[in-house]
Amino acid sequence: MTSPYRIMLVEDSRTQAIKLTNEFERQGWQVDWAPTVQLALEKLNQNSPDLIVLDYYLPGIRGDELCRRIRMNINTRNISIVMLTMDDTHDAELHGLDSGADDFVPKSVDSDILLARIRTLLGKSRFQSSILGQADHHFRRARLLTIDDSLTYQQFLASELEKEGYQIETALSGRDGLDRILKETFDCALVDLVLPDIDGIEVCRRVNQSRQTTANSVTLLMLTGRESKEDLTQALEAGADDFVGKSSDMAVLKGRIRALLRRKFFQEENRRIAEELKNKELEMLHARAEKEMAQARAALNEELERRVVERTAQLAEANRNLEQKSRENEMFVYSVSHDLRSPLVNLQGFSKELAAVCQEIKGILAEDDLPPAAKERGLALLDRECAENIRFIQTAVSRLSSIIDALLRLSRAGRVEYQCQTVDVHGVVARIIDSMSATATERSARITLYDLPPAWGDPTAIEQVFANLIGNALNYLDPERPGVIEIGSDQAVLESHEQANCETYYVRDNGLGIREEYQSKMFQAFKRLHPEVAKGEGMGLAIVRRVVERHSGKIWVESKVGIGSTFYVVLPSGTADRSLSTNSP
C-alpha cells in the first residue's frame, strides 16, 4: 500500500496550525508542524516531506526567504511549496512565486480551493526525484501554446509573454490546441476554460491521459474569465497544474508561469540525472559482473590447470609403474626362458645318450649267445618301448624349446632399442613376398602388392610385422579354393580412426576367416587363429601388436568365417614433419 502523504506545516500561529492540521488529517495526510523557521530547517535536515505549507510572514524571516533557502539546498529543492498569507496583494504573490513557491494561496480562500491546489501538487510530487542538479531554466527558451478563441486576447498574451523571452504559438480552438499538444513539444499550454468545440476541462483531461502513456511533459495552466470554486476544482481534477483568472494582474500570470516552468524544468533535470545515475549504476553492475566473471574464470582455469597438472603427474606415475612392471615382466620372461633353456639342453643331451645306450644294448643282444626267444623279446622291447619314449621326449623338448624361443622374441620385442628412420615399406613387403613365393606357389595363392607409402620406424621391426601378417595369411588360406592375398594402404580407414600424420596399411586374404570369439583375444600371447588347425606357438600376433604399439601405432582385424580377414596396421608416416608429429616412437 502507498504510504500517506507527509506535509510540513510552517506556521507561527498555533490556532491557524491546529485548524490546518485538522483539515489535512481529514484528507488522510500526515502533518508535521514547525512553529519556527529554525525548527523547520532542523526537521528538513532529518526527513523530507512531500509538500511544505509555508506562512508568508514568520518571526524573524519572511516565507519567501525560507523558500529561497529550501530551493538552494540540493536535498530539498524539489519539494513542492504552497505559500499562505494574509497579504493577498499582487506584490506579495509575486514575491512568493519568484522565491520558488509552487503556489500562492491567501488564507482567506475557501478551504476546498486550498485542498484542491495541495492535492494537485501532491499528485505530482512522487514522480519527482530527490536528486536535483542545476535547473536554471534560462539556458533555453520555453515554448508556450495559448489556446483561446479570442484573437484579441491571444495577441495581448503573445505580446506580453514574448517580452519574457518565451516562444509563443497559438490555437483558436480546443481541438486544434489538443492536436498540437499531442503532436508537438511545448513546455506550457495556457488553456481557456470556455472554448467553442471542446472546453478547456476536456482538453486538460485528454492531455493528462496522454501523460500516462507518453513522455508528454507539458504543464497546463487554465485561464478563465469566471473564477468560481467549481471551475477551479474541476480544472485541477482534470489535470491542470494551475488556475488563473483572466482578470488577474499580468505580473501574477507571469509569476505563475515561471513557477510552473521552474517545477517542470526541475522534474526534467531530475529525470535526466536519475537516468544517468541508473545507466552509471548499470555500467557499474555490468563492470562488477564482468570482473566477478573474470575472477571466476581465472579461478576455474587455475583449478583446471591444477587438476590437469595433478592428473598428468598421476598418469605419468601410472605410466612409469606400467613401464616398470612391463620391464619387470619382460625380464622375468627372459630370465625364466633363459633358466629353462639349460635343463632342456641337458634333457636333450640325456635323451641322445639314452638313444645311444639303447642302440648299444641292441647290438649286444644281437651278438650274445642267448636263447632265440629271449633275444627276440629283448629286441622287440627296445624297438617298441625305448625308441617310442625317446621320440616322445625329443618331441616334447623340441616343442618346449620353440615356446622358449617365442618368449624370448616377445621379450626382445619390448626391450630392443629401435633405430627409427624413414622405411620403404613397399620395398620391405616386396622382399617378404619374394621370400615366400615358394609357399605361395605350393598353396596356389596369388599375392597382389599395391603402392605402399613410407613409414617412420625401425626397419627390422616393421619387416617383422609384415612377415608375420603375410605368413599368417598364407597359413590360413582355404584349401578348397585358390588363395588371394592383397597388401595395400587405405587412407579412408586412416581418416575414420583420426590418426594424424600416420599411414594405414592392410593385409587382406580370402582364407578361413576368424571366429568372432577369437577376434578379441588373438593378439594375446599363446592364442592361435584357429585352434583346430594350430600352427606355431601363438606368439606371432602378440609380437606384432607389441611392435606396433611401440611405434605409437595400432592394429586391429576385421574378419568373417568362410570369407576372409583383413588386418589393419597404423604406423607413423615417413613423410610427416617429425618435429610436429606426436606419434613418432
Side-chain angles (χ1 to χ4, degrees), residues 530-551:
H530 290 274
E532 67 276 11
V533 289
K535 299 177 183 179
E537 291 73 35
M539 288 291 184
L541 290 178
I543 293 173
V544 167
R545 184 184 69 171
R546 179 149 315 174
V547 170
V548 170
E549 288 178 348
R550 285 198 62 195
H551 282 75

Side-chain angles (χ1 to χ4, degrees), residues 547-558:
V547 170
V548 170
E549 288 178 348
R550 285 198 62 195
H551 282 75
S552 300
K554 64 190 300 185
I555 182 170
W556 72 96
V557 64
E558 296 175 1

Side-chain angles (χ1 to χ4, degrees), residues 187-203:
D187 295 301
C188 181
L190 284 64
V191 186
D192 190 9
L193 176 64
V194 180
L195 293 167
D197 44 7
I198 57 175
D199 62 14
I201 299 293
E202 183 62 22
V203 171

Side-chain angles (χ1 to χ4, degrees), residues 66 99 117 124 144 155 252-253 259 268 279 383 404 486:
L66 177 57
S99 67
R117 289 188 174 275
K124 296 175 173 58
L144 276 59
Q155 291 174 345
V252 172
L253 175 61
E268 289 179 352
N279 291 336
D383 288 337
I404 291 172
E486 298 177 343

Side-chain angles (χ1 to χ4, degrees), residues 174-415:
R175 191 174 303 280
D176 180 38
L178 179 62
D179 289 343
R180 294 196 63 180
I181 290 175
L182 297 180
K183 294 177 181 178
E184 303 177 44
T185 301
F186 294 97
D187 295 301
C188 181
L190 284 64
V191 186
D192 190 9
L193 176 64
V194 180
L195 293 167
D197 44 7
I198 57 175
D199 62 14
I201 299 293
E202 183 62 22
V203 171
C204 289
R205 184 177 293 111
R206 294 189 188 182
V207 172
N208 194 45
Q209 289 174 352
S210 74
R211 289 169 173 169
Q212 312 301 319
T213 57
T214 65
N216 194 340
S217 61
V218 63
T219 58
L220 300 174
L221 189 150
M222 182 73 73
L223 292 173
T224 179
R226 55 186 208 202
E227 303 175 36
S228 68
K229 176 176 129 177
E230 291 76 12
D231 289 338
L232 182 144
T233 302
Q234 285 186 11
L236 295 180
E237 289 178 351
D241 298 283
D242 205 347
F243 186 95
V244 179
K246 288 185 177 181
S247 60
S248 300
D249 189 285
M250 179 55 64
V252 172
L253 175 61
K254 293 178 179 178
R256 294 279 181 173
I257 293 174
R258 284 196 298 273
L260 288 177
L261 292 177
R262 181 175 59 245
R263 186 166 73 241
K264 170 184 165 59
F265 295 155
F266 278 165
Q267 292 172 355
E268 289 179 352
E269 186 72 3
N270 287 345
R271 283 192 291 268
R272 183 187 64 78
I273 295 175
E275 186 66 24
E276 289 179 358
L277 290 176
K278 179 181 177 182
N279 291 336
K280 288 186 177 297
E281 184 177 3
L282 289 175
E283 290 176 3
M284 291 176 61
L285 290 174
H286 181 71
R288 185 184 305 168
E290 284 290 333
K291 182 179 179 181
E292 291 175 353
M293 288 179 64
Q295 292 174 344
R297 283 194 296 268
L300 179 59
N301 290 336
E302 184 177 349
E303 177 65 16
L304 289 175
E305 290 176 2
R306 183 186 66 79
R307 292 187 182 183
V308 167
V309 170
E310 290 180 356
R311 186 59 176 162
T312 302
Q314 292 171 359
L315 290 174
E317 181 64 24
N319 284 334
R320 283 193 295 271
N321 292 337
L322 287 174
E323 290 174 0
Q324 179 64 27
K325 289 180 180 179
S326 177
R327 284 193 295 269
E328 290 173 356
N329 289 336
E330 290 168 359
M331 291 302 298
F332 174 75
V333 170
Y334 178 79
S335 298
V336 170
S337 302
H338 186 271
D339 291 344
L340 287 175
R341 174 76 66 187
S342 181
L344 278 180
V345 170
N346 293 335
L347 185 58
Q348 192 172 29
F350 291 151
S351 67
K352 289 180 179 180
E353 290 182 6
L354 181 58
V357 170
C358 289
Q359 189 66 30
E360 185 176 349
I361 293 173
K362 188 176 179 181
I364 293 172
L365 287 175
E367 295 176 358
D368 283 349
D369 188 14
L370 293 176
K375 184 182 294 189
E376 289 178 5
R377 186 170 178 275
L379 291 172
L381 285 173
L382 287 173
D383 288 337
R384 184 176 67 253
E385 299 296 336
C386 291
E388 183 177 347
N389 288 336
I390 290 171
R391 281 195 304 273
F392 177 80
I393 292 172
Q394 290 177 338
T395 301
V397 168
S398 177
R399 173 67 177 161
L400 188 55
S401 180
S402 296
I403 292 174
I404 291 172
D405 289 339
L407 285 171
L408 289 172
R409 289 196 302 273
L410 181 62
S411 174
R412 283 195 296 271
R415 291 185 296 109

Side-chain angles (χ1 to χ4, degrees), residues 11 36 75 88 111 155 160-161 164 174 182 231 269 285 289 377 452 475 494 512 515 546 557 563:
E11 171 63 64
T36 66
N75 295 317
D88 56 358
S111 62
Q155 291 174 345
E160 290 294 325
L161 296 178
E164 302 293 316
L182 297 180
D231 289 338
E269 186 72 3
L285 290 174
R377 186 170 178 275
L452 300 178
N475 287 337
L494 172 69
L512 298 174
R515 292 205 298 268
R546 179 149 315 174
V557 64
I563 296 177

